[in-house]
């Protein structure tokens, strides 16, 4: 497993290039659908959409609707959207508080990660979801999810995450597939960094296979756009 500080310049460029493709893959497969459903519901998440996001992001076992009311949880998320703070750390504490309030017992720590994911679908600009692999990519290895999560957002703030996210989002406006976010591109980048070598290789190979599903010239346009972003931002990203 690598960390951000251990990467070479070439690795930074390569991983950010494939992070763009990985973000696009998820966007087209699942994320765009959820954004569309939320937008059509006057910008609010429903219990059913929250459940589908939890399934696809792998935390449904922690928020099973046998244990909690996902409709009530969706109401709390929609209220938090309106009162969403300005800073990463304040937002992280809000997600922690929501998890503690809505989830009891052993699930509440892992549910904080789920809350950050749900909130990204409601307030994506300047925000990123918490993922253990991304935290590892930043070299954060605290014992429990809440401690790691808080430190993760502290570190992102220290490294200028909101500025980098805005700049990459602006560059992505020229990408052949529209709607991508700098925030999620950085998330995918850090996850690639945090993966062990075997899993990272598989992720990159899966991105290559995904690219081959597009006909040319679109395939080359997507790859070249991702490579431009990798070269432009990779060497100094979160540095």
């Amino acid at each position: 497993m690598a960390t951000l500080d251990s990467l070479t310049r070439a690795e930074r460029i390569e991983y950010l290039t494939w992070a763009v493709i990985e973000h696009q893959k998820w966007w087209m497969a699942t994320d765009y659908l959820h954004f569309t459903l939320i937008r059509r519901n006057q910008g609010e998440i429903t219990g059913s959409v929250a459940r589908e996001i939890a399934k696809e992001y792998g935390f449904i076992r922690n928020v099973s609707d046998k244990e909690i009311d996902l409709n009530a949880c969706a109401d709390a998320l929609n209220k938090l959207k309106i009162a969403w703070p300005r800073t990463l750390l304040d937002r992280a504490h809000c997600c922690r508080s929501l998890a503690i309030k809505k989830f009891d017992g052993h699930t509440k720590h892992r549910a904080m990660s789920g809350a950050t994911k749900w909130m990204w679908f409601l307030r994506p600009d300047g925000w990123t979801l918490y993922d253990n692999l991304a935290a590892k990519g930043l070299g954060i290895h605290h014992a429990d999810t809440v401690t790691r999560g808080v430190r993760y957002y502290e570190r992102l703030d220290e490294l200028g995450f909101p500025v980098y996210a805005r700049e990459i989002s602006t560059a992505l406006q020229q990408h052949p597939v529209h709607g991508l976010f700098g925030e999620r591109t950085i998330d995918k980048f850090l996850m690639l960094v945090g993966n062990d070598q075997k899993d990272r290789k598989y992720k990159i190979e899966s991105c290559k296979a995904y690219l081959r599903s597009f006909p040319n010239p679109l395939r080359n346009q997507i790859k070249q756009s991702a490579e431009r972003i990798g070269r432009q931002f990779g060497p100094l990203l979160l540095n």
Side-chain angles (χ1 to χ4, degrees):
M1 182 192 70
T3 63
L4 190 61
D5 291 339
S6 70
L7 297 184
T8 65
R9 183 179 188 277
E11 288 172 332
R12 282 173 159 271
I13 292 171
E14 179 188 10
Y15 297 169
L16 186 57
T17 296
W18 292 114
V20 174
I21 306 300
E22 178 70 4
H23 173 25
Q24 178 186 310
K25 179 158 65 79
W26 270 80
W27 177 251
M28 296 182 71
T30 63
D31 290 350
Y32 175 76
L33 169 64
H34 300 316
F35 267 97
T36 299
L37 292 173
I38 290 169
R39 185 171 63 248
R40 290 180 177 176
N41 191 47
Q42 299 181 323
E44 293 191 342
I45 194 169
T46 63
S48 60
V49 171
R51 183 179 299 109
E52 290 305 309
I53 292 172
K55 287 179 182 177
E56 288 161 7
Y57 277 79
F59 62 96
I60 187 63
R61 67 187 181 279
N62 304 133
V63 295
S64 169
D65 56 359
K66 294 179 181 178
E67 300 176 14
I68 65 165
D69 182 348
L70 280 177
N71 290 321
C73 184
D75 290 341
L77 291 165
N78 291 323
K79 290 177 182 176
L80 180 55
K81 172 192 172 183
I82 297 171
W84 197 226
R86 292 179 59 86
T87 70
L88 285 170
L89 190 56
D90 285 344
R91 292 170 179 179
H93 284 303
C94 282
C95 289
R96 176 181 179 271
S97 296
L98 185 147
I100 290 173
K101 182 178 180 181
K102 291 295 178 182
F103 306 88
D104 56 15
H106 70 282
T107 66
K108 67 182 179 183
H109 298 307
R110 287 172 288 179
M112 177 191 172
S113 173
T116 70
K117 294 173 172 67
W118 280 326
M119 284 307 303
W120 185 76
F121 284 91
L122 287 168
R123 294 295 296 265
D125 293 335
W127 177 243
T128 186
L129 51 84
Y130 172 79
D131 185 273
N132 189 46
L133 280 175
K136 287 180 179 178
L138 280 182
I140 297 170
H141 304 282
H142 293 291
D144 64 86
T145 299
V146 170
T147 304
R148 286 196 306 271
V150 170
R151 180 58 187 141
Y152 178 65
Y153 291 107
E154 285 177 339
R155 187 65 180 137
L156 285 177
D157 197 38
E158 293 166 359
L159 294 171
F161 169 84
V163 175
Y164 286 111
R166 279 196 305 273
E167 291 176 349
I168 294 175
S169 290
T170 298
L172 283 167
Q173 291 176 9
Q174 306 304 316
H175 192 67
V177 175
H178 295 167
L180 303 187
F181 291 86
E183 290 84 352
R184 284 310 300 277
T185 302
I186 296 173
D187 170 53
K188 297 297 186 182
F189 170 74
L190 290 174
M191 289 177 69
L192 275 177
V193 176
N195 266 300
D196 62 34
Q197 186 175 4
K198 181 178 178 181
D199 288 341
R200 186 185 307 116
K201 181 179 178 181
Y202 175 80
K203 284 285 188 183
I204 292 174
E205 289 302 316
S206 72
C207 286
K208 291 178 180 178
Y210 166 75
L211 262 184
R212 288 194 290 270
S213 70
F214 291 90
N216 274 324
L218 180 57
R219 181 194 312 163
N220 286 339
Q221 291 169 351
I222 292 170
K223 180 70 183 304
Q224 289 166 5
S225 174
E227 288 172 339
R228 281 194 298 271
I229 290 172
R231 290 192 301 269
Q232 181 178 354
F233 297 101
L236 296 177
L237 181 60
L238 301 178
N239 201 358

